[in-house]
């Protein structure tokens, strides 16, 4: 107990040495008391990793830039970082009704809808799924579960009434995180 009291006193002295009493210091820095969210990351994997680059047309690039600008995961990236993510995105087709992401499964990809629509479902406690939203071209999904390294919290399926012979076109990018279930 005495060692703990000594440690507390030592910390108190350090705070006083930084310009005031602990109470004065806390009062002088109200921003330190604000509630908020912080997102931190650490680099994992091979430092020599070179992301793949898949060619894209100008229209696709504009669509991807717009979707990424609206995403909290990507809106603060540098131009170079944003270009790396856009370069690594690749096209994928999904037939009508096929799940793209499934609630409760590990997050693996970030998606942007190019052509067509997707239905967003939430599983309910009684066992059924409820359609909560239909999204279309330019909408993105998957980044929240990637950012927080958790399971998908929704199911998204290709919409049944879509153009282009029953398929939707999405652009996706697999983003490595340190999380595994």
């Amino acid at each position: 107990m005495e060692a703990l009291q000594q440690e507390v006193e030592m910390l108190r002295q350090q705070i006083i040495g930084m310009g005031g009493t602990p109470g004065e210091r806390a009062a002088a820095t109200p921003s330190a008391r604000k509630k908020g969210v912080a997102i931190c990351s650490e680099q994992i994997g091979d430092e020599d990793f070179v992301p793949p680059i898949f060619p894209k047309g100008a229209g696709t690039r504009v669509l991807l830039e717009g979707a990424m600008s609206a995403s909290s995961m990507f809106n603060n990236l540098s131009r170079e970082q944003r270009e790396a993510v856009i370069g690594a995105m690749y096209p994928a087709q999904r037939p009508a009704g096929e799940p793209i992401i499934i609630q409760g499964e590990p997050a693996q990809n970030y998606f942007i809808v190019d052509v067509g629509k997707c239905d967003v479902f939430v599983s309910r406690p009684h066992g059924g799924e409820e359609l909560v939203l239909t999204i279309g071209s330019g909408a993105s999904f998957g980044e929240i579960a990637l950012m927080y390294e958790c399971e998908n919290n929704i199911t998204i399926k290709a919409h049944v009434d879509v153009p282009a012979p029953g398929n939707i076109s999405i652009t996706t990018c697999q983003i490595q995180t340190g999380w595994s279930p």
Side-chain angles (χ1 to χ4, degrees), residues 28-179:
T29 58
S31 63
R33 296 255 186 231
K34 289 183 182 177
K35 290 184 179 182
V37 175
I39 300 171
C40 301
S41 66
E42 83 178 64
Q43 186 173 353
I44 59 173
D46 186 3
E47 291 183 20
D48 297 325
F49 173 74
V50 176
I53 298 175
F54 297 93
K56 291 160 196 65
T60 300
R61 291 188 72 77
V62 168
L63 180 85
L64 299 178
E65 289 257 351
M68 288 177 63
S69 294
S71 168
S72 59
M73 184 170 180
F74 299 107
N75 63 2
N76 289 316
L77 293 181
S78 70
R79 184 76 184 149
E80 182 179 284
Q81 292 167 327
R82 190 179 299 240
E83 285 298 319
V85 173
I86 288 173
M89 297 190 89
Y90 56 91
Q93 299 284 319
R94 294 293 196 278
E98 180 181 307
I100 300 167
I101 63 172
I102 299 173
Q103 185 172 342
E105 289 190 357
Q108 297 179 356
N109 291 57
Y110 168 62
F111 298 90
I112 298 174
V113 180
D114 290 333
V115 177
K117 296 179 181 178
C118 296
D119 291 326
V120 179
F121 295 89
V122 175
S123 295
R124 295 299 179 196
H126 58 74
E129 284 185 328
E130 180 182 343
L131 175 65
V132 293
L133 182 68
T134 298
I135 57 176
S137 181
S140 65
F141 55 92
E143 73 273 23
I144 301 298
L146 287 169
M147 187 166 38
Y148 291 106
E149 298 182 335
C150 61
E151 297 172 342
N152 294 314
N153 60 356
I154 54 177
T155 294
I156 297 187
K157 297 178 183 178
H159 190 73
V160 292
D161 300 317
V162 295
N167 285 333
I168 67 155
S169 175
I170 54 175
T171 302
T172 186
C173 175
Q174 188 164 21
I175 297 175
Q176 183 179 0
T177 66
W179 181 75

